[in-house]
């Protein structure tokens, strides 16, 4: 086999772990295909042979350009505390970096999850003013930043450095891309389950919008594995600092920001749980929660430049080569 094909096959075998127990999972298949695509692209450019099936869309086609940074005023935060709907009054905070193009979707998401979650926003297009006129924004947003971070992990890194007290006032953070639709997610179910669970991180089922189907109660309600979907996952706030610190320095651009965050998801679960892959069994750090509905991926930003794809391939390969001891395994179980 040509070298790039061999690398792709090896990567696919390593990361096919996210395949579901009982049905096809777009998020799982894309995770496996992404690792394979990235490793091969890094080694030898365009691929001629595929080791993934046709359902395994590349995560490199599913990147989300996130970003962040301008803070709510102290008076605004104080007003929310007095009203009883602000800082620390809920168990969950949604962290999302969005442009004004996502305003309608964010409005719908916010009203859908408002009983359980507050919001921390990043505005990477420097157009926070488009959101500030919205009533829900004043009700639910406890912090907003207006800077050009490239993804939600960079936003979390900034928050951990500057706003850790705020993060700790919540039990969990739900990190989403701004092309995720949360209206099919049973938020009370997801928040209640995750808060009571032993897991560090969890993803809801996250299919493409056109592939959404109601959960079959006869199937596994929670799939435990060393995998998450990168487009929507929740973290216990006790582990946000470790999450922020897992970023490899070589994946940062000249400005100190992450140019593409692909690769992080491949090592995240075992990194967060301090369980290298040679430790027998599953790390039991992460799970897919199918029983609480779905977060739907609209793929608004699925197409990227060739240059961006190459950066993602390079960064993914960095995690494959620098963190091999923390790579996800193929094991999974039903909880």
């Amino acid at each position: 086999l040509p070298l790039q094909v061999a690398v792709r096959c090896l990567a696919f075998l390593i990361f096919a772990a996210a395949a579901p127990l009982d049905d096809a999972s777009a998020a799982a298949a894309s995770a496996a295909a992404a690792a394979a695509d990235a490793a091969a692209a890094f080694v030898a450019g365009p691929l001629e042979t595929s080791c993934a099936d046709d359902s395994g869309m590349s995560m490199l086609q599913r990147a989300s350009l996130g970003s962040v940074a301008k803070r709510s005023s102290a008076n605004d935060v104080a007003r929310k505390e007095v009203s009883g709907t602000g800082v620390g009054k809920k168990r969950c905070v949604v962290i999302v970096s969005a442009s004004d193009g996502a305003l309608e979707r964010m409005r719908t998401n916010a009203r859908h999850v408002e009983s359980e979650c507050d919001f921390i926003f990043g505005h990477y297009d420097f157009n926070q003013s488009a959101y500030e006129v919205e009533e829900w924004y004043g009700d639910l947003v406890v912090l907003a930043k207006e800077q050009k971070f490239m993804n939600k992990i960079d936003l979390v890194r900034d928050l951990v450095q500057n706003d850790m007290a705020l993060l700790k006032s919540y039990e969990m953070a739900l990190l989403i891309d701004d092309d995720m639709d949360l209206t099919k997610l049973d938020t009370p179910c997801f928040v209640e389950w995750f808060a009571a669970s032993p897991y560090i991180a969890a993803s809801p089922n996250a299919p493409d919008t056109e592939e959404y189907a109601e959960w079959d109660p006869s199937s596994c309600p929670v799939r435990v594995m060393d995998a998450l979907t990168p487009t929507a996952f929740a973290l216990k706030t006790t582990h946000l600092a470790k999450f922020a610190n897992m970023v490899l320095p070589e994946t940062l651009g000249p400005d100190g920001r992450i140019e593409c965050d692909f690769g992080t998801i491949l090592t995240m679960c075992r990194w967060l749980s301090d369980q290298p892959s040679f430790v027998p069994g599953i790390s039991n750090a992460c799970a897919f929660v199918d029983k609480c509905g779905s977060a739907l991926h609209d793929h608004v930003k699925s197409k990227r430049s060739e240059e961006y794809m190459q950066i993602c391939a390079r960064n993914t390969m960095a995690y494959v080569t620098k963190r091999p001891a923390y790579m996800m395994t193929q094991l999974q179980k039903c909880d």
Side-chain angles (χ1 to χ4, degrees):
L1 286 176
L3 179 58
Q4 69 266 38
V5 176
V7 171
R8 191 173 197 274
C9 291
L10 175 61
F12 184 80
L13 289 173
I14 293 172
F15 303 118
L21 294 168
D22 47 15
D23 56 12
S25 166
S30 67
D37 284 343
F42 181 85
V43 172
L47 301 175
E48 299 178 354
T49 303
S50 174
C51 295
D53 62 30
D54 292 338
S55 67
M57 291 182 62
S58 172
M59 275 176 24
L60 298 179
Q61 302 290 339
R62 300 183 176 190
S64 170
L65 182 62
S67 298
V68 229
K70 177 180 173 184
R71 187 170 186 139
S72 299
S73 69
N75 288 339
D76 196 36
V77 173
R79 178 185 60 78
K80 292 186 177 71
E81 288 182 316
V82 171
S83 71
T85 62
V87 178
K89 303 298 182 182
K90 298 175 185 175
R91 307 168 82 177
C92 165
V93 61
V94 175
I95 298 178
V96 58
S97 191
S99 71
D100 59 4
L103 177 54
E104 183 176 350
R105 187 181 302 103
M106 291 301 104
R107 179 193 301 126
T108 304
N109 283 344
R111 287 310 186 194
H112 181 72
V113 307
E114 65 178 323
S115 65
E116 305 296 328
C117 302
D118 289 326
F119 277 76
I120 294 176
F121 260 93
H123 297 279
Y124 65 86
D125 62 349
F126 297 90
N127 199 8
Q128 181 178 341
S129 59
Y131 282 76
E132 288 176 333
V133 299
E134 299 274 325
E135 182 180 1
W136 63 267
Y137 194 87
D139 292 340
L140 300 175
V141 177
V142 297
L143 181 63
K145 293 174 176 281
E146 197 172 53
Q147 285 186 19
K148 195 170 180 60
F149 298 109
M150 294 301 291
N151 50 69
K152 56 187 176 294
I153 298 181
D154 258 340
L155 172 53
V156 172
R157 293 170 71 218
D158 181 271
L159 293 169
V160 165
Q161 181 177 357
N162 300 304
D163 303 284
M164 197 62 200
L166 174 61
L167 295 177
K168 286 182 176 179
S169 67
Y170 297 92
E171 294 181 46
M172 70 192 70
L174 176 58
L175 281 60
I176 64 170
D177 289 353
D178 69 350
D179 58 355
M180 297 302 291
D181 176 358
L182 300 181
T183 57
K184 297 297 184 181
L185 181 66
D186 184 342
T187 316
C189 172
F190 185 80
V191 170
E192 182 66 29
W193 175 87
F194 184 51
S197 80
Y199 304 108
I200 296 171
S203 285
N205 184 36
D208 296 346
T209 299
E210 61 272 17
E211 296 175 1
Y212 169 72
E214 293 286 342
W215 176 64
D216 179 0
S218 67
S219 63
C220 181
V222 176
R223 293 174 282 135
V224 183
M225 62 185 78
D226 293 328
L228 296 167
T229 176
T231 56
F233 58 91
L235 284 166
K236 299 284 176 63
T237 55
T238 53
H239 285 72
L240 282 174
K242 188 170 181 64
F243 170 74
N245 291 331
M246 75 177 179
V247 176
L248 286 172
E250 50 265 55
T251 65
L252 304 179
D255 59 357
R257 309 294 188 201
I258 303 170
E259 295 180 297
C260 175
D261 62 0
F262 284 85
T264 55
I265 205 73
L266 306 178
T267 60
M268 186 184 302
C269 295
R270 287 192 169 268
W271 175 267
L272 289 174
S273 61
D274 291 315
Q275 293 192 50
S277 301
F278 54 76
V279 175
I282 306 171
S283 69
N284 291 314
C286 300
F288 274 86
V289 186
D290 295 330
K291 66 177 183 178
C292 295
S294 300
L296 307 183
H297 195 183
D298 285 344
H299 289 296
V300 174
K301 300 177 180 178
S302 293
K303 293 184 178 180
R304 295 297 184 197
S305 68
E306 182 64 26
E307 180 182 5
Y308 181 79
M309 299 276 283
Q310 289 298 321
I311 291 172
C312 290
R314 183 194 68 204
N315 286 0
T316 300
M317 193 61 181
Y319 284 93
V320 171
T321 58
K322 298 288 186 179
R323 297 261 174 84
Y326 293 95
M327 284 295 163
M328 53 187 278
T329 69
Q330 298 185 45
L331 302 175
Q332 57 180 295
K333 63 183 180 182
C334 184
D335 184 355

